Amino acid sequence: MNSKRIAVSVAGISLSAFSAAAADKPNILFIFTDDHAINAITAYSDFFKEAGFETPNIDRLANEGAILLNNTCCNSISGPSRAAVLTGKHSHSNGFKDNSTRFNPRQFTFVRELQKNGYQTALIGKWHLGDNLNPSEAGFDHWNVLINQGTYYNPEFRTPEGRRTDKGYSTDIITDLSIEQMEAALENDQPFLMMCQYKAPHRDWQPAMRHLDLYKGIEWPLPETFFYDFDSAPRYMQETRMRIDGHMFPGWDMKLRATEIPRNYHNLYGRNMANTEPLRLSAADRRKYYESYKEENRFFKQANLTGRERAVWKYQRYIRDYLRVVKAVDENVGRLLDWLDEKGIADETLIVYSSDQGFFLGEKGMFDKRWMYTPSLSMPFVARWPGVIPAGIKVTALTQNIDFAPTFLEAAAVPVPAEAGVQGESFLPLLKGETPADWRKNIYYHFYESRAVEPEHWCPAQYGVFDGRYKLIRLYEQYADAWELYDLQNDPNEMRNLWNEDGYGDLKAEMLRRLTEIKAFYGDPIETEE
Ligand code: SGN
Ligand code: CA
């Protein structure tokens, strides 16, 4: 219900009748970032807090609503996670298994279902389900999307009217455009679904101009497993290209200009990728940008660091830029919250903050995602809906991105069509503080994007089952055919693979049984051979 309707209807009805009506068809504002790890959200973790990092606006949402503490993605990579969100299905069922796939827009999406039921539906920002596919085909009335991964500075968008370049910082612009669109939606007598999807904080972590000096001089803590011993790790782990000290490009990731690269820069790729983002800035901003990194870059070149010192320098550079980019996200979440307050529609809006998957922030010395390990498997989700979701709810049940679609439909009082084959379950009752006894006890995961498809990070294809404590993973490629079994309660960093140890026969058998069962339950045709 929008403000215009409130104005006409509020006079004749009691306040309680009004809240019931408001709860009936809420607006849904879905804020979705790219690669935001829960460790970089202070509502989830204090890890960077003591050093001076905070996300007050995302935290505010969590305090005023609910936070999912065990939310996971079903396939830790952008397009597949987005497809799972839209369809409520695992990758093998919605057909979008890796970033090279084309999304089939004729299949069920919760967006089209809301559209059919009177919602005004819009998508602004990262789409990543095909540059040749118009989001209108998936049920969006209005769309304005970044091309492929998009850029941070002066980004280019694809719209029904053609391409356009907007001046400014991508996170700010996507917020501006979302607000503009929601303003327009308020003119009509229908609730809206706004999917506001930022590029941030995706690689290559370019800060807003106003944040170029932010966090300077701060030393971030190192994860316990930062100095991971790759030499003793399985071969497939050694070959994966995700090491901060080894696979980050001096130009693209480390922001070193050609003349600033130390002669012995440690790059296992053996090549550079220059950073083209500053070239998108005006000459004056570009100068400011280069200037802001210059002194530290000079130090790095002259010091010729090696070993752990070099790894730590790169980590500090990486984390600082990542957290700066998150800072702009948090500020923009604050702008959206303020806008809802200004319009007086906060009470009739379900607002969600989430991200397509988790991310390695130096755990095991790595960046990127893909693995079924905790840093990349975890997916943030906080939601506020005053009067429906009590403030301060913490959900520990196992939830997943396939649950978002049915949850949004239930919030909008729209039934999930039986023939849609949706696999997720609505967790709206959990957000309300209920604890249904029959909630799922295991989640299923399957990552497909192997070397053959993606020559950049070389993460092996894998699938597995997780019950909140034990995690069984099967890696299944010619070069990486292996099993891993972890006890997260005793080994939260997943450092000890129990699969090859004696004495775990019963646990192995039980987890294998569950894997077979859950694969059959969701109908994943992949064969398991032990
Ligand atoms: C780009 C990044 C990768 C990243 C993929 C997928 N490289 O290719 O590091 O894993 O996107 O990310 S970059 O040099 O172009 O930044 S996803 O989140 O969109 O799936
Ligand atoms: Ca992503």
Side-chain angles (χ1 to χ4, degrees):
M1 187 187 258
N2 292 325
S3 50
K4 208 168 157 196
R5 271 182 298 151
I6 303 167
V8 289
S9 60
V10 82
I13 51 173
S14 75
L15 202 61
S16 58
F18 165 69
S19 345
D24 228 26
K25 294 273 179 209
N27 300 310
I28 301 173
L29 169 53
F30 180 65
I31 308 170
F32 204 47
T33 45
D34 198 355
D35 295 0
H36 195 176
I38 60 173
N39 268 6
I41 298 177
T42 42
Y44 275 99
S45 161
D46 285 343
F47 191 72
F48 294 112
K49 199 169 173 176
E50 227 168 86
F53 168 77
E54 241 176 313
T55 50
N57 294 297
I58 301 173
D59 298 3
R60 178 182 155 198
L61 266 185
N63 291 334
E64 294 175 0
I67 183 165
L68 299 185
L69 297 174
N70 281 310
N71 190 50
T72 55
C73 54
C74 62
N75 182 355
S76 184
I77 194 79
S78 170
S81 178
R82 287 158 206 273
V85 166
L86 292 180
T87 61
K89 293 179 205 173
H90 278 283
S91 308
H92 65 273
S93 299
N94 68 47
F96 201 100
K97 294 180 177 174
D98 60 57
N99 275 344
S100 70
T101 322
R102 192 181 188 277
F103 184 67
N104 169 10
R106 285 180 301 279
Q107 67 184 307
F108 165 87
T109 70
F110 85 88
V111 180
R112 193 182 305 104
E113 210 55 28
L114 288 180
Q115 186 184 48
K116 283 197 266 180
N117 285 275
Y119 270 74
Q120 311 177 67
T121 58
L123 168 67
I124 311 275
K126 185 165 172 179
W127 161 242
H128 213 205
L129 291 174
D131 281 343
N132 300 319
L133 181 66
N134 291 343
S136 48
E137 292 189 52
F140 291 98
D141 298 321
H142 175 93
W143 53 274
N144 190 335
V145 294
L146 294 170
I147 292 142
N148 192 14
Q149 295 285 5
T151 61
Y152 279 102
Y153 301 136
N154 301 324
E156 197 180 356
F157 291 90
R158 195 160 63 85
T159 79
E161 291 79 41
R163 292 189 174 203
R164 58 183 257 191
T165 300
D166 285 44
K167 284 231 169 313
Y169 186 63
S170 122
T171 310
D172 301 337
I173 295 167
I174 290 167
T175 310
D176 293 343
L177 294 172
S178 299
I179 288 178
E180 198 179 289
Q181 180 54 29
M182 290 188 292
E183 295 267 359
L186 289 184
E187 296 299 313
N188 302 317
D189 188 29
Q190 302 287 346
F192 63 76
L193 164 74
M194 166 55 65
M195 297 182 80
C196 168
Q197 308 199 150
Y198 299 118
K199 170 184 174 63
H202 189 273
R203 195 180 182 186
D204 55 330
W205 320 295
Q206 296 288 1
M209 292 306 291
R210 65 179 175 284
H211 292 147
L212 284 176
D213 285 327
L214 185 69
Y215 305 140
K216 268 204 173 155
I218 290 184
E219 275 204 32
W220 306 105
L222 298 174
E224 276 173 43
T225 57
F226 182 70
F227 297 112
Y228 182 75
D229 181 11
F230 279 97
D231 293 340
S232 321
R235 207 188 109 204
Y236 54 80
M237 191 72 181
Q238 292 180 18
E239 290 182 350
T240 305
R241 299 172 161 183
M242 299 185 183
R243 300 190 213 176
I244 292 172
D245 188 27
H247 300 117
M248 280 192 168
F249 295 120
W252 185 245
D253 300 303
M254 289 290 105
K255 284 62 179 227
L256 298 161
R257 301 179 75 180
T259 54
E260 295 171 330
I261 302 173
R263 236 200 307 227
N264 70 347
Y265 186 93
H266 186 239
N267 187 346
L268 296 168
Y269 272 137
R271 65 189 174 102
N272 187 21
M273 188 163 120
N275 201 313
T276 46
E277 277 268 8
L279 304 179
R280 306 182 61 83
L281 292 167
S282 69
D285 279 350
R286 197 180 315 142
R287 264 196 305 278
K288 237 173 105 183
Y289 175 96
Y290 287 138
E291 196 58 33
S292 77
Y293 290 100
K294 197 165 144 189
E295 208 177 305
E296 290 167 359
N297 290 358
R298 190 179 295 150
F299 163 82
F300 186 59
K301 182 167 186 182
Q302 283 167 0
N304 249 332
L305 303 176
T306 55
R308 290 187 167 198
E309 281 184 327
R310 180 186 57 212
V312 170
W313 191 92
K314 288 184 182 174
Y315 169 80
Q316 294 294 344
R317 167 63 53 98
Y318 160 47
I319 295 299
R320 190 180 64 193
D321 279 342
Y322 183 94
L323 295 180
R324 285 168 163 176
V325 170
V326 170
K327 191 69 192 172
V329 167
D330 190 70
E331 288 171 356
N332 278 283
V333 170
R335 289 181 60 208
L336 291 164
L337 291 175
D338 287 348
W339 180 82
L340 292 175
D341 288 341
E342 239 169 67
K343 295 287 157 185
I345 56 168
D347 283 354
E348 64 209 61
T349 302
L350 165 60
I351 172 167
V352 168
Y353 182 86
S354 185
S355 189
D356 62 348
Q357 5 79 199
F359 210 68
F360 281 86
L361 297 177
E363 296 89 349
K364 297 186 179 164
M366 299 202 293
F367 68 105
D368 211 68
K369 49 257 177 179
R370 300 159 195 276
W371 294 98
M372 197 187 165
Y373 303 145
T374 303
S376 43
L377 180 69
S378 304
M379 200 174 163
F381 188 102
V382 297
R384 185 189 75 178
W385 186 7
V388 178
I389 299 177
I393 294 284
K394 291 181 174 21
V395 177
T396 54
L398 300 174
T399 54
Q400 236 179 350
N401 53 354
I402 56 168
D403 301 328
F404 294 9
T407 300
F408 293 149
L409 289 179
E410 190 183 354
V414 171
V416 178
E419 67 282 7
V422 167
Q423 295 170 324
E425 297 285 335
S426 166
F427 52 65
L428 189 63
L430 282 65
L431 298 177
K432 290 177 177 169
E434 292 164 27
T435 49
D438 58 351
W439 190 256
R440 74 165 70 84
K441 303 286 186 285
N442 301 278
I443 60 106
Y444 184 58
Y445 180 84
H446 194 157
F447 171 79
Y448 298 79
E449 198 173 290
S450 64
R451 262 190 213 186
V453 177
E454 198 263 358
E456 202 176 346
H457 292 293
W458 281 21
C459 184
Q462 53 195 280
Y463 60 87
V465 62
F466 177 52
D467 71 359
R469 174 171 180 182
Y470 297 108
K471 189 184 285 180
L472 177 66
I473 309 172
R474 184 188 175 218
L475 304 130
Y476 67 97
E477 295 201 55
Q478 268 176 338
Y479 70 95
D481 199 353
W483 290 87
E484 296 188 358
L485 176 63
Y486 295 100
D487 173 358
L488 279 281
Q489 191 170 300
N490 292 311
D491 175 26
N493 293 328
E494 300 165 305
M495 294 292 284
R496 187 171 158 200
N497 179 7
L498 302 175
W499 185 265
N500 301 319
E501 292 191 22
D502 291 336
Y504 293 96
D506 290 351
L507 181 61
K508 281 161 72 170
E510 170 61 15
M511 292 307 284
L512 277 171
R513 189 192 63 73
R514 286 197 215 168
L515 182 61
T516 306
E517 189 180 271
I518 202 163
K519 268 194 307 142
F521 180 75
Y522 289 121
D524 187 344
I526 186 135
E527 300 266 335
T528 297
E529 304 135 30
E530 202 218 320

